[in-house]
Amino acid sequence: MQQSKTQDTLVGLFVAAGIAGLFFLSFQVSNLSSLSQREGYTITARFENSGGLKVRSPVSAAGVKIGQVSHIYFDTKTYQSVVTMRIDSQYNTLPDDTTASIFTAGLLGEQYVNLEPGGSDSFLKDNSKIDITQPAIILEKAIGQFLFKAAEEKSE
Amino acid sequence: MDNNPQPSNSLVSVRNLSFSRGDKKIFDDISLDFERGKITAIMGPSGTGKTTLLRLIGGQLSPDQGSIWVDGQNVHHLRRHELYTLRKRMGMLFQSGALLTDMTVFDNVAFPLREHTHLSESMIRTLVLMKLQAVGLRGARHLMPNELSGGMARRIALARAIALDPMMIMYDEPFTGQDPISMGALAHLIKSLNNTLGLTSIIVSHDVHETSLIADYIYMISESRIVGHGTPEAMRQSNSAWVEQFMTGAADGPVHFHYPAKDYIDDLLSSGKRY
Amino acid sequence: MIQYLQTLGAQTRASFTKLGRATLFLLAVLSGIHSVVPRPKLLLNQLYSVGVLSFLIITISGLFVGMVLGLQGYYTLSDFGAEESLGVMVATSLVRELGPVVSALLFAGRAGSALTAEIGLMKATEQLSGMEMMAIDPLKRIIAPRFLAGLLSLPLLSALFSAVGIIGGELVGSGLLGLDEGAYWSQMQAKLDFQGDIVNGIIKSIAFAFVTTWIALFEGYDAIPTSEGVSRATTRTVVNSAFSILGLDFILTALMFGDH
């Protein structure tokens, strides 16, 4: 009987450890915690070109992650990329003249939205739009421009 | 097809049974009757499919032709749950004992009771101790199967087989590999259980001496046919050469000492082949 | 030549016959699985021998696999100046592939072979026949609880494997190589999707559990009841499980992660 009790306990510990492992994967490893736990508000921005930005790309201000991209679509009227971002509710004092730019982390890193706060006294609210945007830098374009400039300087 | 051909005094009847495994014919059109309350033995050399016959009676194998009737039911026409209900009334003692190796002697005997009844644990304990007492091993209830000798394991298996108070027990080679004392003990046990519990017993064996001491009737099987049957007394006086050879254990006779082979001299002189 | 074709034909036919037997066996087991519900003790015993006894080998292997991934990943990523992505790399490989696959392979070796040997020996010692003659269906009493235990254990073991592996990668990355601990976790959390990565990984391990346990139990049940037969069946369990796991993994990966 004693042996069978120890066995029951071990099975219990095993199942508990397994479930703990599942929880660890869900909340510590994946984005489930940031999806469900944190409250947030949504803002949109229109870009000429959103480059390699994807859903779930980070949104940061001054290098700190404050939210993530929740939706991207192509506006067939303005031919712009409309990016919807979800910002954590604790960061609710972003001025409404904030600038949104798409940067790349490192030379080959992933792209993210950087918010540069302006000086206005009123803040961005749920469903606000960011008016001032700067498109993603397309590497091929930048290199092309650089070469073109270099050629121009040489010919002068 | 399903009209019962059984004589009223027989519990198990085998009718025109044929069975083969692969190309090898095990039984060819045999018929046997096992009388209620009696001990009937099926004897024959090893490898004649005696164990197969028990499996056919228990419904674990299906015959190619013919039928087997147990207590008025055609075993191979039963539905699955009907077959299982019938099996609860059949006990079978396997050659190895077939005890479950992961539980004690007590739990082994209690196993069919726990699986098939809703008796309380105290009731089960009483029943198990009674069955163990009947086979003389009440003191061994705490042992594990691997701590038992072969003879003890068979007696425990017997206690388990009678746990549900069956109407019949089939013994598969109960005497094989036993020392004379356990052989005698088992023979005595089979006889006394048969008489006190009113069982019908079927014994498959090639052990002439012990079997003919306790059997009421003997069937002899060889080369997929029945070569003789009768009471042990009649069998001993039989003038059939085959029965005589088997009963006396002569090395050569109708059953040859040599496995069929080509001519000995030719075989020795033919060189170049590995076999 | 004719003879060769004949053998080939016979073998093909034999393997189809076996597949048919295995399928019928599976159906019988599945239809008997409800009989385990009123008897949790049977399941508990099997969870012990299938799950608890595989715990140690799975977690220790997970730790080492994670540590190796951390080390190798760091060296490769640092060439591109992308050490910060170490967490993403370790976690993605573990959660999507290595966790389910390696733990299933270890499970087949540890628990699957033990199941085959156990069932095969029960058959060889006539315990299964004995049960049938006692009017107890071994598929319900013996096979079904083991099947359920395998099905429950492996997903838990895979989750543990991945979790321990990710921690192992972190130990190497931040403990040994001085990577920022915050970057390890935050990049991972940003990149790994609950639905797309974690849930798909769990689905994979459930599929592997199903196949591995099925193969192990069937090979035991179908074994030739001799010592050689059981030993061959045990080998077949490990080999066939490995093939099935890797083949199935390819199909599942193509289905799940194809559009990313």
Side-chain angles (χ1 to χ4, degrees), chain A residues 73-136:
Chain A
Y73 76 95
F74 176 60
D75 186 335
T76 48
K77 291 201 181 96
T78 61
Y79 308 118
Q80 281 176 319
S81 166
V82 181
V83 176
T84 313
M85 292 164 270
R86 190 159 180 82
I87 309 294
D88 293 350
S89 55
Q90 64 191 102
Y91 307 112
N92 54 2
T93 55
L94 293 171
D96 61 2
D97 59 349
T98 294
T99 316
S101 340
I102 297 175
F103 286 172
T104 308
L107 192 57
L108 299 169
E110 58 168 345
Q111 295 196 302
Y112 65 98
V113 179
N114 183 62
L115 298 182
E116 187 78 43
S120 169
D121 289 337
S122 47
F123 301 130
L124 288 171
K125 288 188 286 294
D126 201 21
N127 297 325
S128 296
K129 288 190 174 59
I130 292 181
D131 300 323
I132 317 162
T133 63
Q134 198 182 333

Side-chain angles (χ1 to χ4, degrees), chain B residues 55 60 80 96 115-116, chain C residues 39 129 132 134 137 141:
Chain B
R55 287 183 188 276
Q60 287 189 316
R80 192 177 165 76
S96 61
E115 292 288 328
H116 290 308
Chain C
R39 309 192 52 185
S129 284
E132 272 181 30
M134 283 187 276
D137 189 349
R141 179 63 175 67

